[in-house]
Amino acid sequence: MHKQILIVSHSGDLHADLVASILAARGHAPWRIDLDAFPRDYQLCQRLLDGQASARLRRLPDGDWLDLRQVGAVWLRKAAEYAYASADLTQQERTYARLETEQAIFSVLYTLDCYWLSHPLALRGAQWKGEQLERAARMGFRVPATLISNVPDDVRAFRAAVGGPIIFKSMSTPTLAAETVEDADRVSGGIGTTVVDDAMLDSLDAVSELSCQFQEYIAKQYELRITVIGQKLFAARLYSQDDARTTVDSRDMSAPIRYEAATLPDDIHERCLAFVHSYGLEYGALDLIVTPEGEYVFLENNPVGQFLYVQQLVPALPLLESVADKLIEGALCHSQT
């Protein structure tokens, strides 16, 4: 009997839905934790007695108990706000409940001796954008000249040193965390990668509020979205310069730009794999650009980045199937240990 595949995400994750369907069709129906319903709709028990450890989990109201020792692979997909049986928790109660919930679930998950796509410790270590850039440079990538600072004069000096246009780019989320607040409290829907114009330069004192990331603006021939799944690499070319809406930031999906499968030079291919695996990750979604002169420039890696849109736009890239393949392979390998 093969070991269980566990998916940890949220109930609105279409990526998880589609991979779960593929797994089920192949005889490996996964067990799923939707964090936006946890712990409200689940029961969990971790026990250590007389030196013997055990852990089990079930979904309410009448789900079967899952013995977590039978988990052979975990896909840690997306985080979500936890849900509780009581809807009227005070702010202090909710904060304490969140901290205790994290202790409970990760105390269980960290004990699992299985295949991870990817392990939470690897994900934690791989998310820092400034560190990514330094690592990428050490590994031979060209990276944009970058400044992360809350000193306005540093930004002015950086722009002078670059000798050309610079951009502002959020390090955490381009939505400016708009999705985390109620509509009445939302002051902005977000800001994408933005060329710093004269008006922004006149407002640089606002930088003293918190550190911001600025980079040299590098002209593009096209962009690349590179998805690494285990030892496999899939590259998609984005013709972002074909539409004014995506010239600076290609994330405007309203622009009907062309996507197509791409083949990387061998050295770039191997460097992308090595970069992702250097963190202990089994998945990565890297963004690179190619200059008009044909030089490859590293921008960032997204350790749990989206990939479904890439497959929808480039059906030749079997990303969903490759995730399912890797989870099945990992579970089968741990079934034999």
Side-chain angles (χ1 to χ4, degrees):
M1 178 177 176
H2 58 74
K3 284 201 170 183
Q4 184 71 57
I5 294 171
L6 177 64
I7 297 176
V8 183
S9 192
H10 58 78
S11 59
D13 184 7
L14 183 57
H15 291 68
D17 294 343
L18 294 174
V19 170
S21 295
I22 295 170
L23 291 170
R26 297 182 182 179
H28 293 265
W31 212 97
R32 181 163 166 173
I33 302 175
D34 287 321
L35 294 175
D36 56 332
F38 187 89
R40 183 194 63 208
D41 297 345
Y42 295 83
Q43 288 182 324
L44 177 151
C45 180
Q46 182 181 24
R47 188 190 307 271
L48 184 63
L49 185 63
D50 297 329
Q52 298 298 312
S54 64
R56 58 187 185 138
L57 184 69
R58 80 177 184 117
R59 184 153 194 164
L60 298 173
D62 53 6
D64 293 331
W65 283 99
L66 170 67
D67 180 351
L68 288 167
R69 293 173 299 179
Q70 298 306 311
V71 171
V74 178
W75 186 22
L76 195 56
R77 243 297 285 178
K78 286 290 184 179
E81 291 292 325
Y82 302 121
Y84 303 98
S86 297
D88 57 351
L89 296 178
T90 66
Q91 182 175 351
Q92 181 177 352
E93 289 171 334
R94 180 167 289 277
T95 299
Y96 176 67
R98 176 181 58 80
L99 294 172
E100 289 294 283
T101 299
E102 288 185 344
Q103 282 285 337
I105 190 169
F106 285 104
S107 288
V108 167
L109 293 179
Y110 273 40
T111 68
L112 301 183
D113 180 16
C114 67
Y115 172 78
W116 285 86
L117 188 75
S118 294
H119 195 281
L121 291 177
L123 293 172
R124 176 72 175 170
Q127 66 178 312
W128 314 110
K129 298 302 171 63
E131 188 278 334
Q132 286 188 17
L133 291 168
E134 290 197 19
R135 183 179 298 228
R138 290 197 306 271
M139 297 180 73
F141 283 105
R142 178 187 169 185
V143 301
T146 301
L147 174 74
I148 299 172
S149 179
N150 66 343
V151 183
D153 284 345
D154 282 358
V155 183
R156 297 184 181 97
F158 176 72
R159 186 175 186 270
V162 166
I166 63 173
I167 59 169
F168 164 80
K169 183 178 181 182
S170 171
M171 293 179 284
S172 55
T173 169
T175 69
L176 306 184
E179 70 279 4
T180 67
V181 299
E182 300 295 332
D183 290 348
D185 297 323
R186 190 170 299 142
V187 296
S188 172
I191 180 172
T193 302
T194 303
V195 175
V196 177
D197 58 18
D198 291 339
M200 292 179 69
L201 286 172
D202 291 339
S203 303
L204 276 181
D205 286 346
V207 169
S208 60
E209 192 73 30
L210 79 165
S211 293
C212 299
Q213 176 179 239
F214 299 91
Q215 293 182 321
E216 66 172 315
Y217 177 75
I218 298 176
K220 308 167 188 174
Q221 180 184 163
Y222 56 85
E223 301 185 42
L224 291 164
R225 180 71 165 195
I226 298 165
T227 307
V228 171
I229 302 168
Q231 295 296 326
K232 293 183 178 180
L233 181 150
F234 305 90
R237 183 182 292 118
L238 292 64
Y239 289 94
S240 59
Q241 305 309 289
D242 288 356
D243 192 295
R245 289 169 288 182
T246 53
T247 299
V248 176
D249 191 332
S250 64
R251 290 173 293 191
D252 186 344
M253 301 306 292
S254 69
I257 60 174
R258 292 176 293 152
Y259 280 64
E260 65 182 23
T263 301
L264 303 179
D266 289 346
D267 61 330
I268 300 298
H269 181 111
E270 294 304 318
R271 200 173 297 157
C272 288
L273 286 174
F275 181 87
V276 171
H277 296 152
S278 72
Y279 289 101
L281 295 170
E282 286 289 288
Y283 175 90
L286 301 97
D287 293 321
L288 275 65
I289 63 175
V290 177
T291 69
E293 296 75 31
E295 187 173 10
Y296 289 75
V297 182
F298 175 95
L299 297 181
E300 64 179 294
N301 175 50
N302 306 278
V304 289
Q306 305 289 68
F307 63 87
L308 177 58
Y309 78 97
V310 177
Q311 185 165 351
Q312 290 172 331
L313 292 165
V314 190
L317 301 180
L319 304 178
L320 291 164
E321 293 78 8
S322 295
V323 169
D325 289 342
K326 195 63 190 172
L327 291 169
I328 291 171
E329 176 189 328
L332 290 175
C333 286
H334 280 81
S335 297
Q336 299 165 7
T337 60

